[in-house]
Amino acid sequence: MKIWLDGGLQDLGSARVSVLDHGLTVGDGIFETVKAVDGRPFALTRHLDRLTGSARGLGLPDPDLDEVRRACTAVLEANPMPLGRLRITYTGGHGPLGSDRGEHGPTLVVALGEAARRPDSTAVITVPWTRNERGALTGLKTTSYAENVVALARARERGATEALFGNTVGQLCEGTGSNVFVVLDGEIHTPPLASGCLAGITRALAAEWTGARETDLPLEVLERADEVFLTSTLRDVQAVHRVDDRALPGTPGPVTAKAMRIFAERSGDDLDP
Ligand code: PLP
């Protein structure tokens, strides 16, 4: 397996980053996960725009997007696979112990892993921890993901594959690695970005293509929603058949099934050349 580091391809087994890299010591980094179908990245331009936005939000220098594109192409060509997940990681780089950034430039790593096709439906849980809709990192795709790791482990313990967070004012927000949609009386709703959720790329495409509305939703909406579904780069549109102890029989419901179909049809056009 070849990865990109320090301006070129390297063997995964021997590539080295400093043990004082701020991505490791203080979670000072950002990332993107990009789906690649037969070596072609999906919606890469949108991912690179978000990467730049996350870098600016964290006060990192703008990533060199020409290099990131070259890196993605090189890694995909070196590791052919039918369905892959490109992982672009960009950190504050080697720095002093503590939170001040050092003089060194940022670290860019592009790696690739095999991705599995997700089942059409899944179970989710809600967790009692909250997303902060007004934090310094809100809306940025940073490598500070430990809270998501804890919540996802809780979901796995309960036979689910995703954990949903509310925010500090009790509104539905998002999952550990996905956005959430609910169907009420035939209409599709998803929490607005002001809820603290990530501006998911799949969320934006699915909302545009299905006419979903952004709506402030109380977390309890999950107890009465007719249908629930998730969106993410690796899930695409995925129906939810259980929320905590509440089963949603007949999943995928008609509205979700239509959203899945529309996404599958339309997303074929959005692969970057
Ligand atoms: N929310 C969070 C916290 C995420 O980490 C992700 C993706 O990793 C998403 C939502 C979904 O975003 P996207 O559709 O761009 O993959």
Side-chain angles (χ1 to χ4, degrees):
M1 173 67 66
K2 297 279 190 194
I3 63 125
W4 183 277
L5 174 67
D6 289 339
L9 286 177
Q10 300 192 24
D11 283 322
L12 175 62
S14 52
R16 294 285 173 265
V17 201
S18 165
V19 293
L20 296 184
D21 192 284
H22 262 206
L24 174 67
T25 56
V26 293
D28 177 25
I30 57 174
F31 75 102
E32 285 295 321
T33 298
V34 184
K35 181 171 63 172
V37 183
D38 294 325
R40 295 170 66 209
F42 177 71
L44 184 58
T45 302
R46 289 174 187 253
H47 282 284
L48 297 185
D49 285 350
R50 189 169 65 186
L51 187 76
T52 300
S54 297
R56 290 180 183 170
L58 219 60
L60 289 170
D62 279 5
D64 174 348
L65 296 188
D66 289 337
E67 182 189 355
V68 181
R69 276 186 188 277
R70 264 187 291 121
C72 291
T73 304
V75 169
L76 285 166
E77 282 177 4
N79 309 285
M81 58 183 72
L83 184 62
R85 51 190 295 173
L86 265 178
R87 161 82 188 213
I88 304 165
T89 309
Y90 183 71
T91 78
H94 176 99
L97 288 173
S99 298
D100 289 319
R101 286 207 184 108
E103 300 298 313
H104 289 259
T107 304
L108 169 69
V109 182
V110 177
L112 182 70
E114 303 247 16
R117 289 255 170 236
R118 303 291 168 115
D120 283 350
S121 79
T122 194
V124 304
I125 64 164
T126 53
V127 285
W129 312 301
T130 51
R131 279 278 194 263
N132 178 0
E133 68 281 6
R134 287 178 291 126
L137 304 184
T138 303
L140 309 181
K141 199 160 166 67
T142 75
T143 55
S144 302
Y145 252 48
E147 190 165 53
N148 293 323
V149 172
V150 172
L152 189 58
R154 173 73 65 93
R156 299 273 186 218
E157 283 164 21
R158 300 203 182 157
T161 70
E162 184 56 304
L164 299 179
F165 289 88
N167 64 14
T168 67
V169 291
Q171 293 164 333
L172 181 62
C173 184
E174 66 175 345
T176 66
S178 63
N179 292 103
V180 59
F181 289 69
V182 298
V183 178
L184 299 166
D185 297 328
E187 298 221 319
I188 311 178
H189 303 264
T190 193
L193 299 184
S195 71
C197 67
L198 186 75
I201 287 162
T202 326
R203 169 189 179 277
L205 293 172
E208 184 186 328
W209 293 340
T210 63
R213 293 189 187 170
E214 292 192 341
T215 311
D216 286 329
L217 300 160
L219 193 55
E220 299 76 43
V221 76
L222 295 170
E223 294 164 17
R224 59 185 164 87
D226 303 318
E227 303 175 32
V228 179
F229 63 87
L230 305 177
T231 60
S232 82
T233 291
L234 297 177
R235 294 177 191 266
D236 293 333
V237 175
Q238 187 182 42
V240 170
H241 60 245
R242 180 164 58 84
V243 181
D244 294 321
D245 294 329
R246 181 184 177 218
L248 288 148
T251 299
V255 179
T256 304
K258 188 171 170 196
M260 293 166 84
R261 214 168 39 243
I262 291 173
F263 190 86
E265 285 167 11
R266 299 279 303 261
S267 62
D269 303 334
D270 219 288
L271 288 169
D272 277 28

Short mmCIF file of all heavy atoms in Angstrom, two decimals, residues 31 47 50 131 141 145 148 174-179 198-203 231-233, ligand 1:
data_model
loop_
_atom_site.label_atom_id
_atom_site.label_comp_id
_atom_site.label_asym_id
_atom_site.label_seq_id
_atom_site.Cartn_x
_atom_site.Cartn_y
_atom_site.Cartn_z
N PHE A 31 -9.41 16.80 8.36
CA PHE A 31 -9.36 15.68 7.43
C PHE A 31 -10.58 15.68 6.51
O PHE A 31 -11.55 16.39 6.74
CB PHE A 31 -9.23 14.34 8.16
CG PHE A 31 -10.48 13.84 8.83
CD1 PHE A 31 -11.23 12.83 8.24
CD2 PHE A 31 -10.90 14.35 10.04
CE1 PHE A 31 -12.38 12.33 8.85
CE2 PHE A 31 -12.04 13.86 10.66
CZ PHE A 31 -12.78 12.86 10.06
N HIS A 47 -15.05 18.34 -1.46
CA HIS A 47 -14.24 17.95 -0.31
C HIS A 47 -13.05 18.90 -0.13
O HIS A 47 -12.70 19.27 1.00
CB HIS A 47 -13.73 16.51 -0.48
CG HIS A 47 -14.77 15.47 -0.18
ND1 HIS A 47 -15.14 15.14 1.10
CD2 HIS A 47 -15.53 14.69 -0.99
CE1 HIS A 47 -16.08 14.20 1.06
NE2 HIS A 47 -16.34 13.92 -0.21
N ARG A 50 -14.19 22.11 1.39
CA ARG A 50 -14.42 21.97 2.84
C ARG A 50 -13.10 21.87 3.59
O ARG A 50 -12.97 22.40 4.70
CB ARG A 50 -15.33 20.77 3.12
CG ARG A 50 -15.78 20.71 4.57
CD ARG A 50 -16.87 19.68 4.80
NE ARG A 50 -16.41 18.33 4.56
CZ ARG A 50 -17.18 17.24 4.57
NH1 ARG A 50 -18.48 17.37 4.80
NH2 ARG A 50 -16.70 16.05 4.35
N ARG A 131 -23.60 17.87 21.18
CA ARG A 131 -22.77 18.65 20.27
C ARG A 131 -22.89 20.11 20.71
O ARG A 131 -23.99 20.57 21.03
CB ARG A 131 -23.31 18.55 18.85
CG ARG A 131 -22.91 17.30 18.12
CD ARG A 131 -21.52 17.45 17.53
NE ARG A 131 -21.24 16.42 16.57
CZ ARG A 131 -20.58 15.28 16.82
NH1 ARG A 131 -20.11 15.03 18.01
NH2 ARG A 131 -20.37 14.42 15.86
N LYS A 141 -14.15 20.04 10.12
CA LYS A 141 -13.89 18.59 10.12
C LYS A 141 -12.48 18.38 10.67
O LYS A 141 -11.52 18.21 9.91
CB LYS A 141 -14.06 18.03 8.71
CG LYS A 141 -14.26 16.53 8.70
CD LYS A 141 -14.88 16.08 7.41
CE LYS A 141 -14.80 14.58 7.20
NZ LYS A 141 -15.58 13.81 8.13
N TYR A 145 -11.65 13.73 17.11
CA TYR A 145 -12.82 12.88 16.92
C TYR A 145 -13.07 11.92 18.07
O TYR A 145 -13.88 11.00 17.96
CB TYR A 145 -12.67 12.09 15.61
CG TYR A 145 -13.62 12.60 14.53
CD1 TYR A 145 -13.71 13.96 14.28
CD2 TYR A 145 -14.42 11.75 13.80
CE1 TYR A 145 -14.58 14.45 13.33
CE2 TYR A 145 -15.30 12.23 12.84
CZ TYR A 145 -15.37 13.58 12.61
OH TYR A 145 -16.23 14.07 11.66
N ASN A 148 -16.55 11.19 19.10
CA ASN A 148 -17.25 10.32 18.14
C ASN A 148 -16.85 8.87 18.33
O ASN A 148 -17.66 7.96 18.17
CB ASN A 148 -16.95 10.76 16.72
CG ASN A 148 -17.54 12.13 16.41
OD1 ASN A 148 -18.62 12.44 16.87
ND2 ASN A 148 -16.81 12.94 15.69
N GLU A 174 -26.66 15.55 14.63
CA GLU A 174 -26.03 14.69 13.61
C GLU A 174 -25.52 13.43 14.27
O GLU A 174 -25.57 13.27 15.49
CB GLU A 174 -24.86 15.41 12.94
CG GLU A 174 -23.70 15.68 13.90
CD GLU A 174 -22.46 16.31 13.24
OE1 GLU A 174 -22.34 16.30 12.02
OE2 GLU A 174 -21.61 16.78 14.02
N GLY A 175 -24.97 12.52 13.46
CA GLY A 175 -24.32 11.32 13.97
C GLY A 175 -22.83 11.52 14.10
O GLY A 175 -22.30 12.60 13.82
N THR A 176 -22.13 10.46 14.51
CA THR A 176 -20.68 10.56 14.69
C THR A 176 -19.97 10.77 13.35
O THR A 176 -18.89 11.36 13.31
CB THR A 176 -20.10 9.29 15.33
OG1 THR A 176 -20.25 8.19 14.42
CG2 THR A 176 -20.79 8.95 16.64
N GLY A 177 -20.58 10.25 12.29
CA GLY A 177 -19.96 10.40 10.97
C GLY A 177 -21.02 10.50 9.89
O GLY A 177 -20.80 10.07 8.76
N SER A 178 -22.16 11.06 10.24
CA SER A 178 -23.24 11.16 9.26
C SER A 178 -24.18 12.29 9.64
O SER A 178 -24.20 12.74 10.79
CB SER A 178 -24.04 9.84 9.21
OG SER A 178 -24.65 9.60 10.45
N ASN A 179 -24.96 12.72 8.68
CA ASN A 179 -26.06 13.66 8.94
C ASN A 179 -27.36 12.88 8.98
O ASN A 179 -27.44 11.76 8.48
CB ASN A 179 -26.11 14.74 7.85
CG ASN A 179 -24.91 15.67 7.91
OD1 ASN A 179 -23.98 15.56 7.11
ND2 ASN A 179 -24.91 16.57 8.87
N LEU A 198 -22.00 19.05 10.96
CA LEU A 198 -21.07 19.26 9.85
C LEU A 198 -21.86 19.52 8.58
O LEU A 198 -22.93 18.92 8.38
CB LEU A 198 -20.20 18.01 9.67
CG LEU A 198 -19.08 18.13 8.64
CD1 LEU A 198 -17.93 18.98 9.18
CD2 LEU A 198 -18.56 16.76 8.23
N ALA A 199 -21.31 20.37 7.72
CA ALA A 199 -21.92 20.58 6.40
C ALA A 199 -21.57 19.39 5.53
O ALA A 199 -20.64 19.43 4.72
CB ALA A 199 -21.42 21.88 5.79
N GLY A 200 -22.31 18.30 5.73
CA GLY A 200 -22.02 17.06 5.00
C GLY A 200 -22.22 17.27 3.50
O GLY A 200 -23.17 17.94 3.08
N ILE A 201 -21.34 16.70 2.74
CA ILE A 201 -21.44 16.82 1.28
C ILE A 201 -22.61 15.98 0.78
O ILE A 201 -23.38 16.41 -0.08
CB ILE A 201 -20.08 16.44 0.66
CG1 ILE A 201 -19.10 17.59 0.95
CG2 ILE A 201 -20.21 16.19 -0.84
CD1 ILE A 201 -17.67 17.27 0.82
N THR A 202 -22.78 14.80 1.34
CA THR A 202 -23.91 13.95 0.96
C THR A 202 -25.21 14.61 1.41
O THR A 202 -26.23 14.56 0.70
CB THR A 202 -23.77 12.57 1.61
OG1 THR A 202 -22.40 12.23 1.69
CG2 THR A 202 -24.54 11.52 0.84
N ARG A 203 -25.19 15.25 2.57
CA ARG A 203 -26.36 15.98 3.07
C ARG A 203 -26.79 17.04 2.07
O ARG A 203 -27.99 17.15 1.74
CB ARG A 203 -26.00 16.64 4.41
CG ARG A 203 -27.01 17.65 4.96
CD ARG A 203 -26.40 18.37 6.17
NE ARG A 203 -27.29 19.36 6.73
CZ ARG A 203 -27.41 20.60 6.26
NH1 ARG A 203 -26.71 21.00 5.20
NH2 ARG A 203 -28.24 21.45 6.84
N THR A 231 -27.13 10.25 5.98
CA THR A 231 -26.32 10.46 4.77
C THR A 231 -24.86 10.60 5.18
O THR A 231 -24.55 11.19 6.21
CB THR A 231 -26.73 11.74 4.01
OG1 THR A 231 -26.54 12.88 4.87
CG2 THR A 231 -28.15 11.69 3.51
N SER A 232 -23.99 10.04 4.39
CA SER A 232 -22.55 10.29 4.54
C SER A 232 -21.84 9.77 3.32
O SER A 232 -22.41 9.00 2.53
CB SER A 232 -21.98 9.63 5.80
OG SER A 232 -21.69 8.28 5.56
N THR A 233 -20.58 10.16 3.20
CA THR A 233 -19.76 9.75 2.07
C THR A 233 -19.76 8.24 1.89
O THR A 233 -19.85 7.75 0.77
CB THR A 233 -18.33 10.27 2.31
OG1 THR A 233 -18.36 11.69 2.18
CG2 THR A 233 -17.34 9.68 1.34
N1 PLP B 1 -21.08 14.58 10.35
C1 PLP B 1 -19.87 14.20 10.78
C2 PLP B 1 -19.48 14.47 12.18
C3 PLP B 1 -18.99 13.52 9.91
O1 PLP B 1 -17.80 13.13 10.35
C4 PLP B 1 -19.41 13.25 8.59
C5 PLP B 1 -18.54 12.54 7.66
O2 PLP B 1 -17.54 12.00 8.00
C6 PLP B 1 -20.67 13.65 8.19
C7 PLP B 1 -21.48 14.33 9.08
C8 PLP B 1 -21.16 13.38 6.79
O3 PLP B 1 -20.46 14.19 5.87
P1 PLP B 1 -20.19 13.75 4.37
O4 PLP B 1 -21.49 13.52 3.73
O5 PLP B 1 -19.45 14.90 3.78
O6 PLP B 1 -19.37 12.50 4.43
#
